[in-house]
Amino acid sequence: MHHHLINQISHFIKLSDAEKEWISDRFATRRYEKGDYFLREGQVCREAGFIEKGLVRYFVTKEDGEDLTVDFNKEQEFTCNYASFLDHSPSNTSIQCIEPTTILCISYDDLQQLYLHVEEGQKFGRLICEYLYVLAIKKVDTIYRQQPEQRYLQFLDRYPELVSRLPQYYISSYVGVKPPSLSRIRKRLAT
């Protein structure tokens, strides 16, 4: 049984032992090497994942070829381009593994069955949607209202354990500055 996955779902809803087993049977284990893609921009996201081990980044590629990091997911978090997953449209982001990563994956059809088969499955789907909606609104608000230094402080607050796991250029891209500017921000905050 996928204990970490079941524990995470149990934060949202109550599960019987039979439901836990049923859910575990619907998730396939996939292993990715550093640099592998869970999803490439332009592909349809056909699976939602739960990161058992590892770290991924979400990014978009600008017309000039520059990558802009828009988010990260780590152990015990779900990963997916939810819009692409729901309406089967091409993804506007890529999801790439930053380190060797193990992801438990469920197909769209199996997730729909989970909503029907598990007593509180519909509630789980609603709570996940609400959670993702709040994250998206906060992210948009951050982009429009906060200066890079504030975004860096928010990054540190949300992902304190990732500072040592991420290259500085991914963090600077996430904050919205070039690496030398991030170095200056770090220096100012250290004094």
Side-chain angles (χ1 to χ4, degrees):
M1 189 179 303
H2 303 304
H3 296 290
H4 294 296
L5 169 68
I6 296 302
N7 287 341
Q8 191 65 6
I9 293 173
S10 295
H11 285 297
F12 292 94
I13 60 172
K14 293 178 288 187
L15 294 170
S16 70
D17 288 341
E19 289 172 333
K20 291 174 185 178
E21 192 67 40
W22 188 92
I23 290 169
S24 288
D25 290 344
R26 298 307 179 279
F27 280 82
T29 302
R30 305 214 193 295
R31 289 178 176 77
Y32 299 87
E33 296 301 318
K34 178 180 178 177
D36 286 352
Y37 285 82
F38 177 75
L39 178 69
R40 287 184 185 268
E41 188 173 344
Q43 292 179 328
V44 174
C45 186
R46 304 220 181 266
E47 295 181 311
F50 177 78
I51 302 173
E52 202 168 57
K53 175 183 167 241
L55 179 63
V56 301
R57 76 176 179 117
Y58 294 68
F59 69 93
V60 297
T61 304
K62 294 177 17 180
E63 286 183 19
D64 65 4
E66 180 184 3
D67 290 347
L68 296 175
T69 301
V70 294
D71 211 351
F72 304 100
N73 281 128
K74 60 187 181 338
E75 292 89 355
Q76 317 314 307
E77 293 180 344
F78 291 95
T79 187
C80 177
N81 179 315
Y82 205 55
S84 173
F85 182 71
L86 290 178
D87 69 8
H88 312 291
S89 62
S91 175
N92 61 352
T93 59
S94 293
I95 304 174
Q96 184 181 35
C97 300
I98 297 174
E99 55 193 36
T101 302
T102 302
I103 301 177
L104 305 177
C105 299
I106 188 169
S107 71
Y108 175 85
D109 290 339
D110 279 344
L111 186 61
Q112 299 310 307
Q113 288 302 309
L114 183 152
Y115 294 154
L116 298 173
H117 183 82
V118 173
E119 186 175 337
E120 292 188 355
Q122 295 287 333
K123 178 181 176 183
F124 174 69
R126 178 181 56 81
L127 292 174
I128 288 290
C129 284
E130 289 172 359
Y131 173 76
L132 293 172
Y133 176 77
V134 169
L135 284 180
I137 293 300
K138 286 181 177 180
K139 184 152 209 57
V140 169
D141 187 59
T142 297
I143 291 168
Y144 286 112
R145 293 180 185 253
Q146 292 184 351
Q147 296 299 314
E149 188 169 311
Q150 293 169 303
R151 289 195 299 270
Y152 178 64
L153 289 170
Q154 187 176 29
F155 166 81
L156 293 176
D157 185 52
R158 183 170 176 204
Y159 300 115
E161 70 285 357
L162 296 189
V163 174
S164 62
R165 292 171 66 183
L166 290 170
Q168 181 172 324
Y169 57 90
Y170 287 160
I171 298 171
S172 63
S173 177
Y174 177 82
V175 170
V177 297
K178 299 291 183 198
S181 296
L182 181 61
S183 293
R184 287 191 292 277
I185 289 170
R186 286 177 162 172
K187 189 179 279 189
R188 267 196 313 273
L189 292 173
T191 58

